[in-house]
Every structure is written in structure tokens, then in C-alpha cells.
Amino acid sequence: MVIKVAITDDHKMVLKGIAAMLQGTPELQVVGMYEHAQDTLDNIEKDAPDVLFLDINLPDINGIDLSKMLLKTNPELKIIALTNFEDISFVKRMLKNGVHGYLLKNTDKLELVTAMKTVLSGELFLQKDIQASLLNQGSKKTTDNGLKPKLTRREQDVLVAISEELTTQEISEKLFISPKTVETHRMNIMSKLGAKNSVGIIKIAIEKELL
Amino acid sequence: MVIKVAITDDHKMVLKGIAAMLQGTPELQVVGMYEHAQDTLDNIEKDAPDVLFLDINLPDINGIDLSKMLLKTNPELKIIALTNFEDISFVKRMLKNGVHGYLLKNTDKLELVTAMKTVLSGELFLQKDIQASLLNQGSKKTTDNGLKPKLTRREQDVLVAISEELTTQEISEKLFISPKTVETHRMNIMSKLGAKNSVGIIKIAIEKELL
DNA sequence: ACATTTTTAAGGGTATTCCCTGATTTTTTA
DNA sequence: TAAAAAATCAGGGAATACCCTTAAAAATGT
């Protein structure tokens, strides 16, 4: 049985790289190479891959949302997330949302094939680095919180709007919520980031790469 | 004459991707694929490539410093920087430090080969997106600085104080001037940077490296 | 189904920023 | 030395941000 593989990544080089790695294995067939989320959604049913390697840092949509959409219409599809960094909290969220594997981009051919076989057998595949990080999280409990403060989705919306130099009123109109709600979010952001005012919010947000 | 090519990127997939693109062109020969800066430094003289594709987002060192080192010991080497994003100020700094070309990672084979030929002929190669960005920068403000708006000494003091999340009152006490003077300075800073409020001041100041 | 988190919102303030105009003194530069 | 730029300060008002508390839906997770 031939395994049909598709790849979504906005970097042509990564597309080519994976395709090159998979060539030479006759039981594998690359049926789709997509550069954007929309390409993927448009062609996934037509191409009907068994496995999709999905870059989670796409420009137009985040990997979690795209995974959800794809799995809703293609429940049989196995998705292996691709990423540059091992962001543990992100890995967790992806796995909770039905993604079947998680690969760093510096992966060799052997691991690529192993990952595919694993997910096709219905199991989860995690690289050993990521596995180790997940284990550390459970026991230590301290690792994740020192670096990046975790904002909620709405808080991030407000954060972005603040960084766009909008006033509370303007933000409320943009997000369709009351100005009072915007203030609440801003206060919570300040508290989470340890900022004294909006200037501090922006400074810290840029520092911690939240923007 | 055979052109010898090497690649440095911490993602194996990108390494493979470029190698795959270059295969099938007989006059090209991939003589080195390095995953780290140290690999590159260790092997560059032995492998003696004519062109090096260099990822500027390496984990162990930044692209500018590595370029400097490589060019010091290998003046004949042509370096083409690889990146995910088009950070104009970074491009400029790279080019000033002797890098010969700049490529985004979503580049196809044709552009890859064109880039190599261009740099081997002694010219600079810039992708059209990046060229456009550079041109836009230049045409915006030709007469004065082009790069960063110049603040006066006192305005910089106030800028720093604002970035420390101080209020007008606190800044006035720190600098031994009237709160009204602080406000005047802040207004002038806003005007010079094109900011709508203090948040904009900080955002732009960090962007333009005024802090 | 129940507990937790998130999002929503309000009242009622106080503090601060933003914006205008106008002006004097000091420093730098041509 | 004259002209330009920078730094100083002020009045006054409107807009906005900041801060506290409280609390009910709504979404999410176990």
C-alpha cells in the first residue's frame, strides 16, 4: 500500500527538503505541496493524503486553528506538526487538538519515516527532545513560567490593539466590546506582565516577543 | 568550471531542500552542508566553496558575526544570507558587513541559481521584495537621515525616562525640570517619531533602535 | 455535570496624558 | 556676532488612562 503524503510550509526550501527526503522510498508518494493554509484547505480533499506535515508558523493562520479545520473535514488524516522551536505549551495545545505528531525542522530522513509509520499506526509521535521537555514540565513545574507570561486570546487582541496606538474607545470599536472590558483586559495584561502602564506593556511585550 | 556550493542551516530540511534544488544542475557541486556555525568554521577552508548559503538565524551565533569571521579568513567566499523575514535594517547591516546576497527562504530554483551567478560575478543580489523595501526607505526621507530621526539630548533623556514607565511628574523630578517642560519634550518626540501617544513612542523607538 | 478560566461589563473615582497657544532663556552653529 | 536650534516654562481644557471593586455570562477543561 502506498502512503500518500502532503506538506504545508510557506518556505519552498522546506517543501523541497521534505520531498527530497521522501524520494527514493517507493512506498511513499508526495501528493501535495502547499505554501499557504488556503492552498491546503482547497486541495486536501482532492489530494487525499494519509499524512500531512504541517508548519505551525504559517503567516495567514495559526497551526492549531488550521489543524482543527482539517481534522473536522478529514477525520482520517494524520497531521504531523512542524516547527523551529520546541514551545512546550504549544505542543500540548496542538496534541490536545488532535495533532498526531510533532517534529522539529532539523529532522533527518530516518526520523521522518519513523514519525509517519508511528502516526499511521494510530499512535502519537514525539521527538525525544520534546518528550524530555514534557516530562520535565510534569516534575519541575517551574520551567515554563519564568520566561513567557501567558496571555489569553482576548488579552492578546487587546495587546495588539494597544501596540497599534489605539485608544480604549477605538479598541472597543475594533473588537466590538465595551470600553470597560478593554480596560479590564489592559489591567490584566499590566498585572501579568508586571507593567506600570501601557508603555511598560509594549516594552515588555516586545522584550518577551509577545508581539 | 564547477561551482562549489555550501549551505549552513540548523534545519536539516532546509539543507536538503537547497541541495535538492541544486541537484540536476551539473555545473554545481554541493561540497558542504553544515548545521551549526562551528561546523561551518571548521570545514569551510577544507571544503573551499565558492558560494555559501548562510542562515542568519542560527542558534549559536548571529549571522553578522559569523559572516565577518568567514570573510576574514576566506575573502574570496561569496555569502548569500538566508532568512525567513525581510527585516530591512538587518539586511542593511548584513550588506554593510560584506555579505553578497540576501534570499528569503521561500525561493525557487531559478532564483537560487540567479543569485549564485550574480554574486559570483561580483555583484550584489537582492530579491525584488527586499529591493523594493530598500528603495522605499531611501525615497521616504532623502535629505536628512533616512535611518533614524534624531532626537536632541534632552529629548533622549525624556525618551529613556518614558521607557522606564515614569509619569510626567516623576520624569520632571528625575531631570530637575518642570512637568510642563517634560510634556513639551514628549510632544516633540511624538511629532518627530510620528507617534500618536507614548505607546507609539516606545514602539517606534525600539524599532529604530533609539533605546 | 461540575469546576475553572475567560470574557464580558459596570460604577465611581483619581491621575495622567494629550493638545493647543505662547513665551523666555540658553546653547549651538553658520 | 547674528541666526537657528534647543531647552525651559505656563495656562487651561478635553481626552484618556489608571485603579479599585464587583459580578454575571460564556467558553473550556476534567
Side-chain angles (χ1 to χ4, degrees):
Chain A
M1 176 202 168
V2 176
I3 300 171
K4 290 192 281 185
V5 183
I7 314 158
T8 300
D9 198 301
D10 56 320
H11 306 308
K12 283 198 184 74
M13 290 177 181
V14 173
L15 286 179
K16 291 273 184 179
I18 296 177
M21 284 185 186
L22 298 181
Q23 262 166 14
T25 310
E27 66 266 30
L28 295 179
Q29 187 190 351
V30 178
V31 296
M33 288 165 66
Y34 319 120
E35 288 190 50
H36 309 290
Q38 199 55 52
D39 295 349
T40 312
L41 290 165
D42 289 346
N43 295 294
I44 193 85
E45 295 199 56
K46 172 174 64 65
D47 295 335
D50 301 302
V51 182
L52 172 69
F53 290 99
L54 174 62
D55 180 20
I56 61 174
N57 293 120
L58 293 173
D60 44 347
I61 192 173
N62 79 64
I64 292 174
D65 292 343
L66 182 54
S67 302
K68 274 188 188 170
M69 291 187 223
L70 289 171
L71 289 171
K72 194 167 286 178
T73 51
N74 305 69
E76 295 302 309
L77 178 68
K78 304 295 180 184
I79 297 179
I80 298 177
L82 285 176
T83 181
N84 291 315
F85 309 104
E86 36 185 314
D87 181 338
I88 301 307
S89 67
F90 205 84
V91 175
K92 278 187 165 180
R93 281 165 62 200
M94 292 289 287
L95 293 177
K96 280 176 188 168
N97 278 285
V99 166
H100 310 86
Y102 212 93
L103 274 186
L104 297 178
K105 280 193 184 175
N106 66 337
T107 297
D108 56 25
K109 180 178 177 175
L110 181 63
E111 206 153 18
L112 214 64
V113 174
T114 305
M116 269 188 297
K117 286 182 180 170
T118 307
V119 299
L120 283 172
S121 75
E123 293 179 76
L124 286 181
F125 180 86
L126 294 179
Q127 251 165 344
K128 58 178 184 300
D129 298 344
I130 294 172
Q131 267 182 356
S133 300
L134 277 175
L135 290 176
N136 284 343
Q137 259 226 334
S139 57
K140 276 187 177 178
K141 196 189 175 182
T142 44
T143 30
D144 69 43
N145 228 4
L147 286 174
K148 228 179 235 195
K150 191 184 169 190
L151 299 182
T152 67
R153 197 184 291 107
R154 213 52 171 164
E155 282 163 358
Q156 279 184 43
D157 293 340
V158 173
L159 171 62
V160 168
I162 291 173
S163 83
E164 288 169 345
E165 304 174 45
L166 303 181
T167 66
T168 299
Q169 182 62 38
E170 291 167 335
I171 295 171
S172 81
E173 284 159 12
K174 183 185 182 188
L175 300 181
F176 303 106
I177 55 181
S178 153
K180 277 295 184 184
T181 307
V182 175
E183 290 194 347
T184 303
H185 285 312
R186 189 182 41 232
M187 289 300 144
N188 290 335
I189 295 170
M190 274 197 273
S191 166
K192 283 188 180 177
L193 301 192
K196 290 206 194 93
N197 51 36
S198 292
V199 162
I201 289 179
I202 293 308
K203 197 186 59 172
I204 295 164
I206 294 175
E207 252 173 29
K208 310 240 172 187
E209 294 174 357
L210 300 171
L211 279 173
Chain B
M1 176 198 166
V2 175
I3 300 171
K4 291 192 281 185
V5 183
I7 314 158
T8 300
D9 198 301
D10 56 319
H11 306 310
K12 283 198 184 71
M13 291 177 181
V14 174
L15 286 179
K16 291 273 185 181
I18 296 177
M21 286 185 185
L22 299 182
Q23 262 167 14
T25 310
E27 66 266 30
L28 296 179
Q29 185 190 353
V30 177
V31 296
M33 289 165 67
Y34 319 120
E35 287 190 51
H36 309 289
Q38 198 55 52
D39 295 348
T40 312
L41 290 165
D42 290 346
N43 294 295
I44 191 87
E45 294 199 57
K46 172 174 64 64
D47 295 334
D50 301 303
V51 181
L52 172 68
F53 289 98
L54 174 63
D55 179 21
I56 62 175
N57 293 120
L58 293 172
D60 45 346
I61 192 173
N62 79 64
I64 291 174
D65 292 344
L66 181 55
S67 301
K68 274 189 191 170
M69 290 187 227
L70 290 170
L71 288 172
K72 192 168 286 179
T73 51
N74 304 70
E76 295 302 310
L77 178 68
K78 304 295 181 185
I79 296 179
I80 297 177
L82 285 176
T83 181
N84 292 316
F85 309 104
E86 38 185 315
D87 180 339
I88 301 306
S89 67
F90 205 83
V91 175
K92 279 188 166 181
R93 281 163 62 198
M94 292 289 286
L95 293 177
K96 279 179 188 167
N97 278 283
V99 167
H100 310 85
Y102 213 92
L103 273 187
L104 298 178
K105 279 192 183 175
N106 66 339
T107 297
D108 56 25
K109 181 179 177 176
L110 180 64
E111 204 153 20
L112 215 63
V113 174
T114 306
M116 268 189 297
K117 287 183 180 169
T118 306
V119 298
L120 283 172
S121 75
E123 293 178 76
L124 287 181
F125 179 86
L126 294 179
Q127 251 166 343
K128 58 177 182 300
D129 297 346
I130 295 171
Q131 263 182 358
S133 301
L134 279 175
L135 287 176
N136 283 342
Q137 267 223 333
S139 61
K140 265 184 182 175
K141 294 176 182 177
T142 35
T143 37
D144 36 55
N145 273 331
L147 272 178
K148 50 184 69 172
K150 44 187 163 188
L151 301 181
T152 67
R153 212 184 302 112
R154 214 53 171 165
E155 282 164 356
Q156 277 205 323
D157 293 340
V158 173
L159 171 62
V160 169
I162 291 173
S163 83
E164 288 168 346
E165 305 174 43
L166 303 180
T167 66
T168 300
Q169 183 61 40
E170 291 167 334
I171 296 170
S172 81
E173 285 159 12
K174 183 185 182 189
L175 300 181
F176 304 107
I177 55 181
S178 154
K180 277 295 183 184
T181 307
V182 176
E183 288 193 354
T184 303
H185 285 312
R186 190 181 39 234
M187 288 300 144
N188 290 334
I189 295 170
M190 274 197 274
S191 166
K192 283 187 181 178
L193 300 192
K196 290 208 198 93
N197 53 35
S198 292
V199 162
I201 289 179
I202 293 309
K203 197 186 60 171
I204 295 164
I206 293 175
E207 252 173 34
K208 311 237 173 187
E209 294 174 359
L210 300 172
L211 279 173

